[in-house]
mmCIF file of all heavy atoms in Angstrom:
data_model
loop_
_atom_site.group_PDB
_atom_site.id
_atom_site.type_symbol
_atom_site.label_atom_id
_atom_site.label_comp_id
_atom_site.label_asym_id
_atom_site.label_seq_id
_atom_site.Cartn_x
_atom_site.Cartn_y
_atom_site.Cartn_z
ATOM 1 N N ILE A 57 7.306 10.769 21.976
ATOM 2 C CA ILE A 57 7.669 11.228 20.659
ATOM 3 C C ILE A 57 8.832 12.039 20.774
ATOM 4 O O ILE A 57 8.610 13.213 21.159
ATOM 5 C CB ILE A 57 6.507 11.803 19.906
ATOM 6 C CG1 ILE A 57 5.385 10.839 19.788
ATOM 7 C CG2 ILE A 57 6.989 12.040 18.399
ATOM 8 C CD1 ILE A 57 4.067 11.360 19.222
ATOM 9 N N ASP A 58 9.998 11.710 20.218
ATOM 10 C CA ASP A 58 11.205 12.582 20.245
ATOM 11 C C ASP A 58 11.334 13.304 18.975
ATOM 12 O O ASP A 58 11.586 12.825 17.912
ATOM 13 C CB ASP A 58 12.428 11.721 20.488
ATOM 14 C CG ASP A 58 13.713 12.425 20.641
ATOM 15 O OD1 ASP A 58 13.665 13.702 20.708
ATOM 16 O OD2 ASP A 58 14.798 11.897 20.735
ATOM 17 N N ILE A 59 11.190 14.685 19.132
ATOM 18 C CA ILE A 59 11.356 15.545 17.869
ATOM 19 C C ILE A 59 12.560 16.446 18.045
ATOM 20 O O ILE A 59 12.879 17.373 17.344
ATOM 21 C CB ILE A 59 10.164 16.404 17.553
ATOM 22 C CG1 ILE A 59 9.879 17.415 18.715
ATOM 23 C CG2 ILE A 59 8.999 15.578 17.300
ATOM 24 C CD1 ILE A 59 8.851 18.563 18.352
ATOM 25 N N SER A 60 13.464 16.067 19.085
ATOM 26 C CA SER A 60 14.745 16.959 19.387
ATOM 27 C C SER A 60 15.606 16.949 18.080
ATOM 28 O O SER A 60 16.322 17.952 18.011
ATOM 29 C CB SER A 60 15.401 16.431 20.615
ATOM 30 O OG SER A 60 15.829 15.125 20.335
ATOM 31 N N GLY A 61 15.511 15.976 17.246
ATOM 32 C CA GLY A 61 16.451 16.025 16.048
ATOM 33 C C GLY A 61 15.755 16.698 14.842
ATOM 34 O O GLY A 61 16.460 16.852 13.872
ATOM 35 N N TYR A 62 14.578 17.168 15.028
ATOM 36 C CA TYR A 62 13.950 17.887 13.922
ATOM 37 C C TYR A 62 14.510 19.259 13.655
ATOM 38 O O TYR A 62 15.053 19.821 14.530
ATOM 39 C CB TYR A 62 12.449 18.057 14.279
ATOM 40 C CG TYR A 62 11.498 16.746 14.062
ATOM 41 C CD1 TYR A 62 12.131 15.458 14.296
ATOM 42 C CD2 TYR A 62 10.242 16.930 13.616
ATOM 43 C CE1 TYR A 62 11.206 14.382 14.130
ATOM 44 C CE2 TYR A 62 9.327 15.834 13.652
ATOM 45 C CZ TYR A 62 9.854 14.509 13.762
ATOM 46 O OH TYR A 62 9.077 13.444 13.710
ATOM 47 N N GLN A 63 14.374 19.684 12.460
ATOM 48 C CA GLN A 63 14.852 21.052 12.109
ATOM 49 C C GLN A 63 13.736 21.774 11.401
ATOM 50 O O GLN A 63 12.986 21.261 10.677
ATOM 51 C CB GLN A 63 16.103 21.027 11.242
ATOM 52 C CG GLN A 63 17.355 20.431 12.012
ATOM 53 C CD GLN A 63 18.623 20.463 11.073
ATOM 54 O OE1 GLN A 63 18.437 20.473 9.814
ATOM 55 N NE2 GLN A 63 19.694 20.550 11.664
ATOM 56 N N SER A 64 13.761 23.105 11.606
ATOM 57 C CA SER A 64 12.822 23.869 10.825
ATOM 58 C C SER A 64 13.207 23.936 9.397
ATOM 59 O O SER A 64 14.371 24.221 9.086
ATOM 60 C CB SER A 64 12.841 25.313 11.511
ATOM 61 O OG SER A 64 11.759 26.178 11.090
ATOM 62 N N LYS A 65 12.185 23.800 8.536
ATOM 63 C CA LYS A 65 12.443 23.744 7.027
ATOM 64 C C LYS A 65 11.696 24.717 6.329
ATOM 65 O O LYS A 65 10.569 25.054 6.749
ATOM 66 C CB LYS A 65 12.218 22.333 6.598
ATOM 67 C CG LYS A 65 12.964 21.195 7.228
ATOM 68 C CD LYS A 65 12.394 19.871 6.885
ATOM 69 C CE LYS A 65 11.022 19.561 7.539
ATOM 70 N NZ LYS A 65 11.031 19.501 9.024
ATOM 71 N N SER A 66 12.145 25.243 5.187
ATOM 72 C CA SER A 66 11.450 26.070 4.403
ATOM 73 C C SER A 66 10.558 25.430 3.504
ATOM 74 O O SER A 66 10.922 24.322 2.962
ATOM 75 C CB SER A 66 12.334 27.056 3.622
ATOM 76 O OG SER A 66 11.768 27.674 2.639
ATOM 77 N N ILE A 67 9.368 25.889 2.954
ATOM 78 C CA ILE A 67 8.479 25.298 2.091
ATOM 79 C C ILE A 67 9.238 25.245 0.778
ATOM 80 O O ILE A 67 8.942 24.452 -0.088
ATOM 81 C CB ILE A 67 7.231 26.088 1.853
ATOM 82 C CG1 ILE A 67 7.322 27.457 1.461
ATOM 83 C CG2 ILE A 67 6.347 25.943 3.105
ATOM 84 C CD1 ILE A 67 6.151 28.294 1.120
ATOM 85 N N ASN A 68 10.324 26.073 0.518
ATOM 86 C CA ASN A 68 11.057 26.054 -0.741
ATOM 87 C C ASN A 68 11.741 24.666 -0.944
ATOM 88 O O ASN A 68 11.868 24.203 -2.080
ATOM 89 C CB ASN A 68 12.143 27.094 -0.789
ATOM 90 C CG ASN A 68 11.539 28.499 -0.815
ATOM 91 O OD1 ASN A 68 10.357 28.717 -1.190
ATOM 92 N ND2 ASN A 68 12.281 29.541 -0.314
ATOM 93 N N GLU A 69 12.059 24.004 0.123
ATOM 94 C CA GLU A 69 12.573 22.684 0.097
ATOM 95 C C GLU A 69 11.658 21.597 -0.674
ATOM 96 O O GLU A 69 12.061 20.475 -1.082
ATOM 97 C CB GLU A 69 12.956 22.124 1.457
ATOM 98 C CG GLU A 69 14.157 22.987 2.054
ATOM 99 C CD GLU A 69 14.505 22.356 3.373
ATOM 100 O OE1 GLU A 69 14.427 21.103 3.637
ATOM 101 O OE2 GLU A 69 14.946 23.250 4.293
ATOM 102 N N PHE A 70 10.382 21.965 -0.619
ATOM 103 C CA PHE A 70 9.303 20.970 -1.126
ATOM 104 C C PHE A 70 8.735 21.344 -2.426
ATOM 105 O O PHE A 70 7.811 20.554 -2.886
ATOM 106 C CB PHE A 70 8.236 20.780 -0.030
ATOM 107 C CG PHE A 70 8.815 20.183 1.233
ATOM 108 C CD1 PHE A 70 9.167 21.009 2.376
ATOM 109 C CD2 PHE A 70 9.149 18.805 1.318
ATOM 110 C CE1 PHE A 70 9.694 20.440 3.454
ATOM 111 C CE2 PHE A 70 9.590 18.258 2.522
ATOM 112 C CZ PHE A 70 9.857 19.032 3.588
ATOM 113 N N TYR A 71 9.233 22.403 -3.039
ATOM 114 C CA TYR A 71 8.572 22.731 -4.317
ATOM 115 C C TYR A 71 8.870 21.692 -5.340
ATOM 116 O O TYR A 71 9.992 21.098 -5.341
ATOM 117 C CB TYR A 71 9.144 24.132 -4.792
ATOM 118 C CG TYR A 71 8.390 25.367 -4.131
ATOM 119 C CD1 TYR A 71 9.138 26.381 -3.626
ATOM 120 C CD2 TYR A 71 7.023 25.382 -4.024
ATOM 121 C CE1 TYR A 71 8.526 27.411 -2.950
ATOM 122 C CE2 TYR A 71 6.517 26.415 -3.521
ATOM 123 C CZ TYR A 71 7.058 27.414 -2.891
ATOM 124 O OH TYR A 71 6.420 28.520 -2.297
ATOM 125 N N GLY A 72 7.917 21.333 -6.142
ATOM 126 C CA GLY A 72 8.100 20.293 -7.061
ATOM 127 C C GLY A 72 7.798 18.925 -6.565
ATOM 128 O O GLY A 72 7.705 17.885 -7.345
#
Side-chain angles (χ1 to χ4, degrees):
I57 303 171
D58 183 7
I59 64 170
S60 62
Y62 283 29
Q63 293 184 332
S64 191
K65 300 166 292 300
S66 168
I67 60 171
N68 295 335
E69 294 181 34
F70 296 99
Y71 281 129

